[in-house]
């Protein structure tokens, strides 16, 4: 499905926002029936020391077998997996909500729709906190950098 075929009610900009806060608000709005597109996910941040964050994601990636479960390496996959974890995706209602969410590296909606920053998710108010961007985590996990 191309970007043109996905008609989003809301376009959310994840640039310089905390991953978990954005994911929880997107999941909540998706459960309310909104169709949401999240853009610039490679520039979202995860709070904590870089070594600890990367180690946590490496452990998630290494768990499993050759057939699965496979944890994503790319920023859009990691972000979408975070949203999935906040939805009851095994129920019909949760699965429908999850299908109404699209996550993009970059901004394919440039000029079409104004991307909004969700309230309470920005890193601006936390000026002295340690954080690592999702792009850096993906590179450390071994993703091919195409963004």
């Amino acid at each position: 499905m191309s970007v043109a075929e996905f008609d989003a009610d809301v376009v959310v900009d994840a640039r310089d926002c905390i991953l978990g806060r954005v994911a929880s608000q997107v999941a909540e709005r998706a459960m309310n029936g909104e169709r949401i597109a999240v853009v610039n996910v490679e520039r979202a941040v995860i709070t904590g020391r870089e070594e600890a964050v990367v180690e946590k994601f490496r452990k998630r990636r290494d768990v499993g077998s050759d057939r699965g479960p496979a944890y994503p390496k790319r920023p859009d996959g990691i972000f979408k997996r975070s949203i999935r974890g906040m939805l009851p995706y095994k129920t019909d209602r949760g699965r429908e909500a999850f299908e109404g969410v699209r996550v993009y590296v970059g901004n394919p909606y440039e000029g079409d729709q104004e991307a909004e920053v969700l309230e309470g998710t920005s890193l601006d108010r936390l000026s002295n906190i340690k954080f690592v961007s999702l792009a850096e985590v993906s590179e450390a996990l071994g993703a091919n950098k195409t963004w």
Side-chain angles (χ1 to χ4, degrees):
M1 178 179 279
S2 70
V3 174
E5 294 175 18
F6 186 73
D7 186 30
D9 297 334
V10 180
V11 178
V12 175
D13 191 356
R15 182 183 321 140
D16 297 330
C17 292
I18 300 170
L19 178 133
R21 291 175 187 248
V22 175
S24 64
Q25 288 191 22
V26 167
E28 186 177 331
R29 291 174 80 165
M31 287 298 287
N32 291 334
E34 291 186 53
R35 293 171 58 84
I36 302 170
V38 185
V39 297
N40 296 320
V41 294
E42 75 281 3
R43 297 185 53 194
V45 299
I46 302 170
T47 57
R49 289 180 315 129
E50 183 173 0
E51 302 82 28
V53 171
V54 169
E55 183 59 34
K56 179 171 76 172
F57 281 91
R58 275 200 181 117
K59 188 170 185 175
R60 287 181 182 176
R61 182 197 62 193
D62 293 342
V63 170
S65 65
D66 292 341
R67 289 188 240 163
Y71 197 79
K73 294 179 188 176
R74 288 181 43 86
D76 50 347
I78 293 171
F79 201 96
K80 188 137 184 176
R81 179 69 180 256
S82 298
I83 294 170
R84 192 191 85 172
M86 298 178 188
L87 291 171
Y89 67 96
K90 293 183 180 181
T91 66
D92 290 338
R93 185 168 174 249
R95 192 170 18 261
E96 188 176 306
F98 190 57
E99 289 171 2
V101 176
R102 294 287 188 276
V103 179
Y104 300 102
V105 172
N107 188 357
Y109 290 95
E110 199 85 48
D112 294 348
Q113 251 177 313
E114 184 71 28
E116 72 175 81
V117 176
L118 297 176
E119 191 171 332
T121 62
S122 181
L123 192 65
D124 294 342
R125 63 187 186 83
L126 305 170
S127 61
N128 61 351
I129 197 162
K130 294 182 188 310
F131 63 89
V132 58
S133 76
L134 199 50
E136 293 172 12
V137 171
S138 293
E139 287 179 44
L141 291 177
N144 293 332
K145 185 175 178 183
T146 58
W147 54 90

